[in-house]
């Protein structure tokens, strides 16, 4: 395969030729019919290897709406009480969990016990202990666990990773990740520790953590972090407003990152090496993802991230395809271990070492 903007590339998603694949179509039920669930459902209408066939919701009216909007049969609709029965439904291969963060663990484990593959939104869980339980449950049930890391299939992101691997940036020395937005409604679940598991870090800071790892191409060995809070009424105990954190990598690179719910215009990655640099701005929005390197502007095509992600996930599940950057439970767990360490560093004011 060769994409015109990436001569010699061998491992990017094959956007144009997905149709040629003879593989099976992944039949997916979405759990949690909220704003991101709807975005995924819309994007899936253009998928070639994945199909939206089911829905799980606590609101009967939403299920009715989805049945007519996406042509979903009533027999493939469930609520949060009865969705374990999905194990008897031979027309569903996978469940995509798109609910508030703190619900992911139990829901994914129930999906695994029903014998269905689980796709889970980020953050995979609210701490590494829960993440490990999900990985274990899916392994035991012999189903795959994948995390909705849509940027792992994004062309400009993958071009930077290709350049770094090819040595075009030289030895990588520094990464900066800025992730944030000004959050509105104080009553939303994202500001409720019980449902969100934290604040900005769980929701948006995770993009800088995940990005630091795929841009630098190593796993961090230490973390330091500092928290600031300007509004303790809106951001209650355990709900972080702003955290700056630093990561140290085994090759000597360092990362400096910002996670916040108080400022807009923060969606930027900058990677610096001894021979060159790469910048993405915006780096993680729904696109177009834009950027440049020391060689010039990045010109990869704008894709609908969730369409490509679901087609690629079908190939991962059915053909055991290995993506350039993993999207499996082990990958989700790595981010959760770093989040745990960041919270510990904030609490103790100390550098926290990360082990394997
Ligand atoms: P949302 O509030 O729009 O939707 C959440 C859905 O979960 C709603 O339909 C709600 O009814 C349902 N739900 C089920 N049980 C609930 C409960 N006990 N309390 C509250 N709601 C409950 O949120 P969203 O923006 O769709 O986020 C859902 C998940 O998707 C989160 O984990 C979030 O981090 C993730 N997300 C990922 C991306 C991405 O780009 N990958 C973007 C947005 C959100």
């Amino acid at each position: 395969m060769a994409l015109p903007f990436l001569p010699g590339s061998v491992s990017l998603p094959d956007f144009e030729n997905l149709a040629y694949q003879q593989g099976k179509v992944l039949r997916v039920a979405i759990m949690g019919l909220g704003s991101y669930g709807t975005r995924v459902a819309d994007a899936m209408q253009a998928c070639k290897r994945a199909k939206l066939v089911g829905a799980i919701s606590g609101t009967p009216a939403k299920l009715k709406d989805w049945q007519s909007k996406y042509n979903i049969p009533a027999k493939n609709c469930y609520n949060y009480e009865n969705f374990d029965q999905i194990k008897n439904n031979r027309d569903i291969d996978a469940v995509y969990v798109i609910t508030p963060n703190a619900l992911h663990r139990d829901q994914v484990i129930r999906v695994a016990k029903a014998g269905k593959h689980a796709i889970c939104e980020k953050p995979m869980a609210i701490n590494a202990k829960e993440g490990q339980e999900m990985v274990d449950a899916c392994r035991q049930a012999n189903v795959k666990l994948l995390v909705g890391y849509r940027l792992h299939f994004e062309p400009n992101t993958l071009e930077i990773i290709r350049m770094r691997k090819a040595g075009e940036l030289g030895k990588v020395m520094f990464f900066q990740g800025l992730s944030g937005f000004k959050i509105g409604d104080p009553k939303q679940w994202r500001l409720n520790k019980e449902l969100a598991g934290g604040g900005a870090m769980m929701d948006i800071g995770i993009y800088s953590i995940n990005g630091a790892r795929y841009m630098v191409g190593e796993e961090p060995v230490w973390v330091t972090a500092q928290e600031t809070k300007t509004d303790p009424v809106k951001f209650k105990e355990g709900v972080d407003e702003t955290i700056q954190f630093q990561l140290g990598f085994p090759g000597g690179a360092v990362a400096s990152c910002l996670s916040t719910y108080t400022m807009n215009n923060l969606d930027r990655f900058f990677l610096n090496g001894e021979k060159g640099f790469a910048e993405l701005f915006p780096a993680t929005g729904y696109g177009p993802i834009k950027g440049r390197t020391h060689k010039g502007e990045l010109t990869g095509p704008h894709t609908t991230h969730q369409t490509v992600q679901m087609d690629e996930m079908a190939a991962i599940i059915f053909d055991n395809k290995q993506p350039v950057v993993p999207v499996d439970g082990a990958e989700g767990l790595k981010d959760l271990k770093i989040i745990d360490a960041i919270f510990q560093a904030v609490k103790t004011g100390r550098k926290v070492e990360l082990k394997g």
Side-chain angles (χ1 to χ4, degrees):
M1 179 205 73
L3 294 175
F5 66 102
L6 273 183
S9 169
V10 286
S11 47
L12 280 175
D14 199 349
F15 301 109
E16 322 220 314
N17 291 318
L18 278 166
Y20 80 91
Q21 302 198 19
Q22 298 302 305
K24 287 198 285 179
V25 168
L26 183 71
R27 299 163 306 169
V28 178
I30 289 181
M31 180 186 298
L33 315 184
S35 91
Y36 196 64
T38 303
R39 183 177 287 274
V40 172
D42 289 342
M44 283 187 71
Q45 303 309 306
C47 281
K48 302 208 166 69
R49 281 205 66 184
K51 189 168 192 281
L52 175 63
V53 299
I56 299 149
S57 169
T59 313
K62 279 197 210 167
L63 286 172
K64 263 217 130 45
D65 181 38
W66 275 47
Q67 281 171 29
S68 57
K69 193 169 163 199
Y70 301 114
N71 201 19
I72 294 174
K75 72 163 192 65
N76 288 356
C77 291
Y78 298 86
N79 59 41
Y80 292 106
E81 281 73 48
N82 70 11
F83 78 79
D84 309 272
Q85 290 169 21
I86 213 164
K87 70 170 181 289
N88 302 317
N89 192 327
R90 299 175 62 144
D91 298 330
I92 295 172
D93 303 305
V95 177
Y96 194 162
V97 174
I98 316 184
T99 55
N101 311 338
L103 308 178
H104 294 175
R105 176 203 173 271
D106 286 2
Q107 289 168 342
V108 162
I109 290 175
R110 282 172 69 185
V111 167
K113 286 188 172 154
K116 304 295 178 185
H117 300 293
I119 303 171
C120 182
E121 254 320 309
K122 46 60 53 179
M124 189 173 89
I126 57 168
N127 56 50
K129 180 179 169 288
E130 290 198 353
Q132 184 68 58
E133 289 164 2
M134 295 159 77
V135 168
D136 293 344
C138 290
R139 190 185 298 125
Q140 259 167 35
N142 202 22
V143 296
K144 290 222 162 92
L145 169 58
L146 303 179
V147 184
Y149 287 128
R150 58 189 163 76
L151 279 322
H152 293 201
F153 307 105
E154 194 285 313
N156 284 333
T157 304
L158 288 169
E159 167 61 357
I160 295 174
I161 293 169
R162 186 202 63 74
M163 286 178 71
R164 189 248 303 146
K165 284 184 173 172
E168 292 172 30
L169 302 176
K171 183 174 157 59
V172 169
M173 304 296 290
F174 179 73
F175 172 81
Q176 185 190 43
L178 306 176
S179 298
F181 64 94
K182 197 170 168 62
I183 198 161
D185 181 10
K187 292 204 171 63
Q188 64 186 288
W189 68 260
R190 281 181 166 79
L191 296 173
N192 172 352
K193 183 173 164 46
E194 294 302 306
L195 285 168
M201 183 61 64
M202 285 287 171
D203 190 41
I204 192 81
I206 190 170
Y207 285 99
S208 272
I209 296 171
N210 193 247
R213 293 178 43 248
Y214 63 66
M215 296 285 267
V216 174
E218 294 178 17
E219 296 306 324
V221 287
W222 59 257
V223 170
T224 49
Q226 309 79 35
E227 179 175 13
T228 47
K229 201 172 269 200
T230 63
D231 187 347
V233 178
K234 188 166 184 178
F235 305 100
K236 304 209 162 34
E237 180 70 32
V239 178
D240 51 284
E241 177 187 334
T242 300
I243 294 178
Q244 296 186 68
F245 61 96
Q246 302 77 37
L247 307 171
F249 293 87
V254 287
S256 173
C257 304
L258 172 68
S259 160
T260 185
Y261 263 162
T262 307
M263 286 170 263
N264 286 327
N265 313 310
L266 291 172
D267 182 16
R268 182 172 179 268
F269 288 173
F270 182 77
L271 184 68
N272 205 19
E274 283 182 341
K275 288 202 223 154
F277 71 89
E279 179 191 51
L280 288 175
F281 185 46
T284 69
Y286 297 133
I289 300 297
K290 291 187 178 159
R292 64 196 174 113
T293 72
H294 59 288
K295 293 186 170 166
E297 197 189 336
L298 288 162
T299 56
H302 171 50
T303 58
T304 301
H305 300 169
Q306 298 80 7
T307 307
V308 180
Q309 173 199 317
M310 294 310 290
D311 275 336
E312 287 294 311
M313 285 184 165
I316 291 167
I317 287 173
F318 288 135
D319 311 340
N320 220 11
K321 183 171 178 184
Q322 303 296 315
V324 175
V325 187
V327 289
D328 56 9
E331 173 76 8
L333 188 54
K334 284 177 184 169
D335 286 342
L336 294 175
K337 284 182 179 167
I338 296 169
I339 292 179
D340 282 358
I342 288 171
F343 288 156
Q344 200 189 333
V346 162
K347 213 160 134 190
T348 61
R350 294 229 172 101
K351 186 186 222 181
V352 176
E353 308 285 337
L354 286 160
K355 297 172 224 54

